[in-house]
Amino acid sequence: QSALTQPPSASGSPGQSVTISCTGTSSDVGGYDSVSWYQQHPRKAPKLMIYEVTKRPSGVPDRFSGSKSGNTASLTVSGLQAEDEADYYCSSYAGSNNVIFGGGTKLTVL
Amino acid sequence: QLQLQESGPGLLKPSETLSLTCTVSGDSISSRDYYWGWVRQPPGKGLEWIGSIYYRGSTYYNPSRKNRVTISVDTSKNQFYLRLTSATAADTAVYYCARHPLLRHFDVWGQGTLVTVSP
């Protein structure tokens, strides 16, 4: 199995919007509505930000949104804030009780 | 409030067996629809799912790791476990335990524990 493909880095200025992509195949991202996104600050555990492509857990700001088109999922952060600077990982169910992650994207708030 | 806490040796020698415990508090590990998983992160690298278990004992492993991995559960202690045999330096990582609803996403994470494999 191959990891999902994410850009290594992304950036934006405070108040702007930034979108991070996550590309897989029809066997994972494209085949199931089970894409999730995680935020990880340095030396901290990952935090679930989006699940089932578009759903936000309680407490996650609505500035974070998810979407999917074909084999590519996206995380959009609107109204960027300094505290959004972190690593972001996507994950997808890949069938046969298997789960895969993306390689991660470092988001920099300029 | 659900909390997960990893514990176990932080230093291993090559070829030894890595053994970690995840203690769940604030909810029963026997809750329906919840699986319990292990995820690791080598220093400076990304996340990798190792495997997950249902409270009744059904296990699911990353195909690339299943030959060396065993995950088990003790519902009476509200704990689940990771065992990784024949450790090498490539197994050096922060190991996280997490709740894994329906094997679809990880919604509650432990703080992680660093395991170093070194001679």
Side-chain angles (χ1 to χ4, degrees), chain A residues 25-79:
Chain A
T25 70
S26 58
S27 296
D28 38 68
V29 173
Y32 305 92
D33 286 333
S34 297
V35 176
S36 50
W37 290 90
Y38 304 86
Q39 177 191 67
Q40 187 179 35
H41 288 110
R43 296 171 297 283
K44 296 293 188 182
K47 175 186 176 183
L48 179 66
M49 304 301 284
I50 296 287
Y51 67 103
E52 294 178 5
V53 181
T54 62
K55 297 180 180 178
R56 271 190 315 275
S58 175
V60 172
D62 59 7
R63 302 184 294 102
F64 292 84
S65 62
S67 63
K68 188 182 82 167
S69 177
N71 298 335
T72 298
S74 299
L75 172 72
T76 297
V77 185
S78 305

Side-chain angles (χ1 to χ4, degrees), chain B residues 50-61:
Chain B
I50 300 170
S52 298
I53 190 166
Y54 192 53
Y55 76 93
R56 291 186 175 179
S58 302
T59 51
Y60 309 91
Y61 298 121

Side-chain angles (χ1 to χ4, degrees), chain B residues 8-75:
Chain B
L11 183 62
L12 290 177
K13 290 183 168 52
S15 81
E16 291 185 336
T17 295
L18 182 158
S19 294
L20 295 176
T21 297
C22 182
T23 301
V24 178
S25 59
D27 195 8
S28 171
I29 203 170
S30 302
S31 298
R32 282 183 58 186
D33 296 336
Y34 290 126
Y35 296 70
W36 305 87
W38 290 95
V39 175
R40 72 179 184 179
Q41 184 173 35
K45 296 188 178 180
L47 302 169
E48 178 188 34
W49 174 64
I50 300 170
S52 298
I53 190 166
Y54 192 53
Y55 76 93
R56 291 186 175 179
S58 302
T59 51
Y60 309 91
Y61 298 121
N62 183 326
S64 64
R65 303 291 171 212
K66 64 183 303 181
N67 288 344
R68 294 194 295 130
V69 172
T70 302
I71 297 175
S72 57
V73 63
D74 187 334
T75 55

